[in-house]
Amino acid sequence: MLCFFFKSSLYPGLEFQNDFYKSCNGPPLTLSPQTKLWGITESISCHPSPFPGYLSLSKVVPFSHYAGTLLLVLAGVACLRGIGRWTNPQYRQFITILEATHRNQSSENKRQLSNYNFDFRSWPVDFHWEEPSSRKGSRGGPSRQGVALLRPEPLHRGTADTLLNRVKKLPCQITSYLVAHTLGRRMLYPGSVYLLQKALMPVLLQGQARLVEECNGRRAKLLACDGNEIDTMFVDRRGTAEPQGQKLVICCEGNAGFYEVGCVSTPLEAGYSVLGWNHPGFAGSTGVPFPQNEANAMDVVIQFAIHRLGFQPQDIIIYAWSIGGFTATWAAMSYPDVSAVILDASFDDLVPLALKVMPDSWRGLVTRTVRQHLNLNNAEQLLSGISYPPPALVPEDIMSNRGNDLLLKLLQHRYPRVMAEEGLRVVKQWLEATSQLEEASVYSQWEVDEDWCLSVLRSYQAEHGPDFPWSVGEDMSADGRRQLALFLARKHLHNFEATHCTPLPAQNFQMPWHL
C-alpha cells in the first residue's frame, strides 16, 4: 500500500512531499517521470526569488489574465472604430479619394484630397529626388548618403592620425555624439520636440487651412535622397496681375517655425509666389533636423521648384529667417544661379552662439560637438566656392553682433581692398549706431557721394567683369575707401528695428541691391 501527500500552490489542499512516503509490504518506491517533473517544478517555484512576490506562479497567472483582458478590450475598441469608420459615408468617400490619388496623382484628385486633414504619412509622394532626368546617371547629383557639405577642418592639424590617437579621441567623440543626438539637437531645433508640436497642432491646422482655402495653396510631399519625406506648401501667383508673382520665394523657417505660421506670410503679402517647407522632424516632415538632413531637404525642394513647378533658377529667391540661414546659404553655394538670398535675423556661425549660452568649462565639448554634428557655418557657405554669389540682403537688428559679423565677412570677401583698416573701422562705427538717426549721422559725417561710388563700381565691373572678389579700392585714398565701404554696407544691409521673433513686414521685404 502506497501513501502520498501532495502540496501545490496551484491546488490548495493537496500536499506532496517527495522526501516522505510509506511502503507497506511492497517493493521500494519508484517515481514516474511525470511525478519527478512535478516535484522539480514545485521545488523551483517555491525557491526564494530575488524579486519576492513577482516571479512566483501565483502572481504570473493573474497578470496573464489582466494582460489578456486588456488585449481583448483594445481589440474590441479597434473593431468598434473600424465599424464606425466603415459606416461613416464621409470616411468611405475619403478612403476612395485617397486610393484614387495613390493610383493617379491628377490635379483634381490632389485638390479633393487637400480638403481632408489626416496623417501625412498616408499622403502619396508627389516628387522624388531622383525624378529630374538630368540627375539620372549624373555624378554631380546627390547620392543616397546626401548632398555635399563643407566639412570642418581637424582641430589639431598636422597630428598623425595613428591608432593610439584614435583611441584617445574615442571617449570625447562618443560624448559629443550623445550630447548632439539628445540634448543638443532638441535645444537647437525645439520645433522638433513632440510635445511642442502637440501643443501647437491646433494653430498649425488653422494656418494650413488658411493657406489652402484663402490662398489656394497646394500641399505636396517630397522624398529626399536620405529617405526623409518633406512637407511643403506652394502658393502660385503667376496667374495674377502682380508682377512679383512671376518670382518664387522659397522660405526657410527658424528653429521653431513651421510654414503654416512662419515667415511665408511676408512674401505672400508682398504678392510673390511662395514655396514653404518644414524642417525634417517638423509637423508632416519626417527625420531629424541635423545639417546633412537639412541640406538634403533643401536640395529636393529646389529641384521640385525647378522641375515640377517650372521656375527657372533666375526666378527663385531664397528667403530665410534665423536658423533657416543655414539652408539658404547652402542653396547659394550649391545653386549660384538663383536670383537672390535674403537673410532675416540670421548669424554667421553657430559656435560663438553656443559658447555664449554654455559654461566656459564646456568650451571644448561645445566646440567639438557643434563642429562634428551641428556645424551651421552660414558665412563659410555663403562665401565658399562661388565666383559670382547672388546678392545677399541681411535685414537684421543692427545691434545683433552675429548678424553684423555675417555682413562684415560678406563685404570683406567681396571687396577686400575697400574693407581694409579704414573701411572696416568706419563700417563698425556705423553698425554700432543705436538708432536710425545715429546711422544717418555717421553716414553724413563722411560725406558719402553715392553717385561717385556707383560710377567707381560700374567702371570696375565693366573692365574686370562681375566675378568676386573685387580688387576695387587698391589705389584709392583712405577717404575714398571709407565712402565706398559705408555705401556698400548700407546697400547690403537693411535695418529693421524689432525683436528677434517679429515677422518682417511686407513693405520691408525688399530685393537685394544690384549694381
Side-chain angles (χ1 to χ4, degrees), residues 182-400:
T182 54
L183 181 64
R185 188 259 297 176
R186 290 168 175 82
M187 289 181 63
L188 189 59
Y189 288 93
S192 64
V193 177
Y194 175 76
L195 292 178
L196 179 60
Q197 294 188 33
K198 291 293 289 184
L200 293 176
M201 189 55 63
V203 180
L204 298 182
L205 293 177
Q206 184 179 1
Q208 188 180 111
R210 181 185 65 85
L211 290 172
V212 172
E213 297 172 4
E214 299 180 10
C215 303
N216 297 319
R218 302 206 304 262
R219 198 178 185 190
K221 177 190 286 188
L222 316 182
L223 185 63
C225 60
D226 51 15
N228 289 335
E229 298 172 347
I230 307 302
D231 185 6
T232 67
M233 180 69 73
F234 171 57
V235 177
D236 195 353
R237 296 282 180 79
R238 285 175 290 189
T240 64
E242 297 285 345
Q244 302 95 316
Q246 303 303 316
K247 296 282 188 177
L248 175 68
V249 179
I250 299 179
C251 298
C252 306
E253 300 290 345
N255 63 353
F258 303 80
Y259 73 70
E260 292 88 343
V261 291
C263 63
V264 297
S265 59
T266 297
L268 277 177
E269 292 179 11
Y272 291 89
S273 295
V274 175
L275 176 59
W277 61 282
N278 281 330
H279 297 283
F282 282 51
S285 296
T286 62
V288 287
F290 281 103
Q292 184 66 67
N293 297 345
E294 288 279 293
N296 296 340
M298 187 64 185
D299 179 70
V300 75
V301 167
I302 295 179
Q303 290 295 317
F304 174 69
I306 296 173
H307 295 278
R308 179 61 61 85
L309 301 182
F311 288 92
Q312 296 299 317
Q314 297 81 4
D315 296 325
I316 294 177
I317 301 163
I318 310 297
Y319 172 46
W321 175 58
S322 188
I323 208 169
F326 172 75
T327 49
T329 54
W330 180 88
M333 175 183 69
S334 304
Y335 294 89
D337 293 335
V338 298
S339 175
V341 175
I342 301 177
L343 305 178
D344 181 5
S346 192
F347 54 88
D348 62 327
D349 191 6
L350 182 61
V351 170
L353 292 174
L355 293 175
K356 187 177 180 180
V357 299
M358 301 302 290
D360 289 339
S361 57
W362 293 19
R363 175 177 292 271
L365 175 63
V366 171
T367 303
R368 185 184 306 107
T369 301
V370 171
R371 286 289 179 244
Q372 293 181 357
H373 303 284
L374 303 167
N375 192 31
L376 305 185
N377 50 347
N378 298 353
E380 186 180 4
Q381 289 187 150
L382 190 63
L383 311 180
S384 177
I386 308 172
S387 60
Y388 182 47
L393 176 67
V394 189
E396 171 72 25
D397 182 350
I398 209 78
M399 294 301 292
S400 176

Side-chain angles (χ1 to χ4, degrees), residues 467-483:
D467 292 350
F468 290 107
W470 287 8
S471 59
V472 62
E474 189 172 13
D475 299 326
M476 192 177 293
S477 65
D479 183 67
R481 284 195 292 269
R482 292 191 190 97
Q483 290 191 46

